[in-house]
Amino acid sequence: MEANVDSANVSTTPSNIDKEVSTENNFVNSAEIAWQEMRKKWVGDPSNRTSEMPVEPVISFNATYEDLLTSTTPFHKPIPLAEMVDFLFDIWHGDGLFE
């Protein structure tokens, strides 16, 4: 049995085909959008930042790795991530562990 198809009802103009294809192929990376939103919350809005004076480091410039590991007293304020990374880099580089 063959299906009866009325060719007058089927439009195959290129503009209709392009519209159908373009709407079907729009990819939305929802994971990337969610990641960007979470990052914005973590980093903060750069337009709200003020040009603050550099703050005094939380970790003393003469602190050692052992000082941080053996101390049981909490720091007087949280250590910024950038400061901790700089500290660890200096320690590891000095020990020859970061080449």
Side-chain angles (χ1 to χ4, degrees), residues 1 6 8 13 24-25 30 37 39 49 53 63 86:
M1 284 172 66
D6 185 8
T13 61
E24 291 175 7
N25 291 336
S30 55
E37 290 173 2
R39 183 181 185 279
R49 293 185 189 152
M53 295 295 293
D86 288 341

Side-chain angles (χ1 to χ4, degrees), residues 52-62 75-80 83-84:
E52 299 175 6
M53 295 295 293
V55 294
E56 188 173 322
V58 178
I59 302 173
S60 172
F61 72 94
N62 59 356
F75 290 98
H76 59 281
K77 58 183 178 179
I79 301 172
E83 184 177 336
M84 189 55 143

